Amino acid sequence: MQNSQQMLESKVLVIKIGSNVLTQSNGLPDLDRMKHLVNQIQGLISAGKKVVLVSSGAVAFGRQSIPLPEKLNPVFKKQIWASTGQIRLINQYQQFFGSLNQHIAQILVTKEDFRDRKHFLNMKNCIEALLQQGILPIINENDTVTITELMFTDNDELASLTAAMINADTLMLLTNVDGIYTGNPSDPGSELVEKVVFSMPEVSNYISATKSSFGRGGMLTKYTMAKKSADLGIQVIIANGKRDGVLDEFTTKSLRCTWFEPQKVKHAPKKWLAHGAQYYKGEITVNAGAKNSLTSSVIRSLLPVGITKIEGDFSKGDILLIRDENGIKIGLGRAEYASKPALERMGEKNQKPLIHYDYLYLFDHE
């Protein structure tokens, strides 16, 4: 198929398995499907590929084993099912991968782990050390401590962040349909969008806002995260994890899926910044001259002379959101110094840049 032929060779993959893939229609875990995917992942590792697995399904495993009263607070329910189910989920992976002599590691993360550059690099180094030793990292959100504003949109966001963090060349999002369709996937008239390129009209217009019964996010989240990852230079595949041989077909480039064409690979700090839209600690407003300078073809840093407003209390190394004087978001950057000296230098010439161009990520659509 056309898109499959254009898929790039992969060396470092992040594979996200959705809860709707690992859960049967009755809400119980689908162990046969899980084992089938484990065998294929092992095949990728045996072929010399480095794989990181982002796996949903903990709540389903918890729900199966621990009945809870209907009246119980839904947040408590989720915390209980997630925390008890995570043990069962990882034990099941341990059992399946152990029978193939594959060592695994469990990593539970929160959004806070991605906010701080130092913490982010520690996590990156840990995952890369595991991969160097041939150990498969299995990552999930730490649902026990993350509620509402601290939660990832869903594991698609976590997988996208992870792919950017470890400089993966491929992000595969496994769901229960073959990819993005021009309408509802169950409608016979809907066609699979096999290829998404940067210059295409907005594909999100096709996507139904309905969410899967067991997951938190829908196809729109997958599309948003896939577009962002592709912009960073990562090829993205949305495919059907319920399909037998899905990873084998990916290897042979015969997979029916939606493939996102990657752009030029961005530098590592920009990959971190690209996902910082929800983590910023301060807001910077710049004048027209500074906006033109930042968005010109010549790469430039943000100097205090072009700043007209600073909001928020931030430290050196925190992520800042940059707006123009109309309030339109221009991009994100890492603060070279804290908010107090930034306020003192605002509007002044011959000052050290607040954001160095190496740590500046500009939004494409502005």
Side-chain angles (χ1 to χ4, degrees), residues 138-256:
I138 301 180
I139 303 178
N140 199 358
E141 180 175 10
N142 191 346
D143 288 308
T144 312
V145 298
T146 52
I147 299 298
T148 60
E149 75 278 357
L150 290 178
M151 290 167 84
F152 295 101
T153 312
D154 62 11
N155 269 350
D156 298 313
E157 184 186 8
L158 173 55
S160 185
L161 278 161
T162 303
M165 175 173 64
I166 65 167
N167 294 320
D169 51 50
T170 302
L171 169 62
M172 181 176 283
L173 304 175
L174 296 181
T175 182
N176 59 350
V177 289
D178 288 337
I180 295 173
Y181 283 79
T182 55
N184 190 313
S186 58
D187 185 340
S190 295
E191 293 179 10
L192 181 67
V193 178
E194 294 186 12
K195 180 179 176 183
V196 178
V197 298
F198 197 66
S199 58
M200 278 176 72
E202 195 60 25
V203 175
S204 59
N205 297 335
Y206 295 135
I207 299 170
S208 150
T210 56
K211 295 185 178 182
S212 65
S213 31
F214 302 111
R216 192 155 72 232
M219 190 56 79
L220 201 54
T221 311
K222 287 177 179 53
Y223 173 75
T224 304
M225 292 302 155
K227 281 277 281 186
K228 182 171 283 188
S229 295
D231 178 48
L232 296 176
I234 303 165
Q235 75 166 340
V236 186
I237 290 125
I238 299 178
N240 191 342
K242 292 282 193 186
R243 185 188 182 96
D244 286 348
V246 61
L247 299 181
D248 296 338
E249 288 179 359
F250 162 70
T251 303
T252 59
K253 298 186 178 178
S254 59
L255 179 60
R256 178 175 162 79

Side-chain angles (χ1 to χ4, degrees), residues 124-138:
K124 169 186 164 76
N125 292 337
C126 170
I127 292 171
E128 288 181 346
L130 289 167
L131 291 173
Q132 288 295 334
Q133 297 304 312
I135 300 165
L136 170 69
I138 301 180

Side-chain angles (χ1 to χ4, degrees), residues 115-132:
R115 180 178 286 178
D116 177 76
R117 179 85 180 144
K118 187 178 176 185
H119 201 159
F120 174 91
L121 290 173
N122 287 340
M123 188 163 54
K124 169 186 164 76
N125 292 337
C126 170
I127 292 171
E128 288 181 346
L130 289 167
L131 291 173
Q132 288 295 334

